[in-house]
Amino acid sequence: MPPKSPDIIDPFSSNTLTYTTTGTDVFHAPSAYLSRRHSWVHIFPEGRVHQHPKKSLRYFKWGVSRLILESEPLPDIIPIFIDGNQGVMHESRPWPRFVPRAGKNIRIAFGEKVDGEKIFGDLRVRWKLIVKKHKQEHIRRGVPVDWEMGELTEGLKYGKEAVALRMEVTDRVRQEVLKVRKSLGYPDEDPKQGLVETWIEEGQSKEKGKMKDGSWIGNT
């Protein structure tokens, strides 16, 4: 039998498929491992524990938009809605907090695979144009940028056009998840629930605890 190919190609000298959580630590991205390519990546885009009495969704963070805008090829996207974990480990539970509450029902609903090009294709084209514009501007100014590492320039991080585009992608992802939520019998949400401003107004800048709207939030 031929020798098995290495799981990571030159892991010690190649850092093109890595990420950092602190700016100093380095981890290999899932795609760096040959055995992990073409596999599932589960994302919880709310970014923290959020338990709402009406099963409302908190706004989604923008990291999910980068995965959709920058991945080549565009990954398959399947929306999922999980209901019931709040009964097993509710943030308001008394001692012993570390013990899961038994006898609770958990429902996991899967939506249909999203037509990625139909839902996100126009936004991916716009993103490429924005990146191209910023790249040309940096070349014109003679500013070196490592465009292969996935690092964003200041303009791509905070520029008005780039920010608006990430918000649009995130909102479309959230709408796909809301379709699955509705399939479980929950009514349509108030559109303002998906806005960052709504949660700031509700005092949800706190790290954890009970909020004004009756929901509970905690750290993931």
Side-chain angles (χ1 to χ4, degrees):
M1 294 181 62
K4 184 179 179 181
S5 60
D7 197 27
I8 302 180
I9 300 176
D10 195 10
F12 300 104
S13 62
S14 175
N15 61 353
T16 58
L17 294 173
T18 61
Y19 67 93
T20 178
T21 60
T22 64
T24 57
D25 61 1
V26 178
F27 299 94
H28 287 288
S31 57
Y33 297 84
L34 298 180
S35 60
R36 296 184 185 177
R37 295 183 182 181
H38 310 294
S39 59
W40 287 86
V41 177
H42 297 86
I43 302 170
F44 295 87
E46 289 181 307
R48 71 189 311 172
V49 174
H50 173 236
Q51 299 169 340
H52 195 282
K54 294 183 179 180
K55 314 301 188 299
S56 176
L57 296 178
R58 193 171 181 268
Y59 75 92
F60 286 6
K61 295 192 173 182
W62 294 348
V64 67
S65 68
R66 289 199 63 187
L67 292 173
I68 292 173
L69 291 172
E70 300 176 40
S71 296
E72 292 294 348
L74 174 65
D76 291 336
I77 301 169
I78 298 180
I80 304 172
F81 187 83
I82 303 175
D83 179 21
N85 286 345
Q86 68 275 12
V88 178
M89 298 287 280
H90 198 279
E91 285 297 304
S92 66
R93 65 190 183 279
W95 191 92
R97 285 183 58 83
F98 57 87
V99 178
R101 276 36 176 180
K104 306 296 182 179
N105 293 323
I106 296 179
R107 296 189 295 175
I108 303 177
F110 293 82
E112 297 293 332
K113 186 179 77 170
V114 174
D115 186 336
E117 286 303 323
K118 178 180 178 180
I119 303 298
F120 304 107
D122 62 318
L123 303 181
R124 282 167 56 85
V125 171
R126 285 169 52 191
W127 176 255
K128 290 178 181 178
L129 292 175
I130 294 175
V131 171
K132 181 179 179 180
K133 180 176 68 175
H134 281 267
K135 185 175 182 179
Q136 291 174 339
E137 176 64 18
H138 277 73
I139 293 175
R140 185 186 66 81
R141 293 165 50 196
V143 179
V145 175
D146 187 352
W147 295 90
E148 303 303 322
M149 288 294 292
E151 294 292 335
L152 298 181
T153 63
E154 289 297 301
L156 292 176
K157 283 182 180 179
Y158 308 115
K160 183 177 180 181
E161 188 177 12
V163 169
L165 186 56
R166 285 197 295 272
M167 291 175 64
E168 177 64 24
V169 174
T170 306
D171 180 65
R172 293 188 189 184
V173 172
R174 191 171 182 275
Q175 293 305 315
E176 295 301 317
V177 177
L178 286 176
K179 292 177 184 178
V180 184
R181 173 183 177 274
K182 188 173 182 178
S183 72
L184 294 180
Y186 294 113
D188 291 331
E189 275 198 344
D190 186 333
K192 72 177 185 179
Q193 294 288 69
L195 303 177
V196 177
E197 295 79 6
T198 298
W199 302 100
I200 294 176
E201 292 174 2
E202 291 292 336
Q204 300 217 15
S205 58
K206 294 169 58 178
E207 290 188 1
K208 58 183 178 179
K210 188 175 183 179
M211 301 297 104
K212 295 179 181 179
D213 65 352
S215 65
W216 288 75
I217 60 174
N219 299 322
T220 54

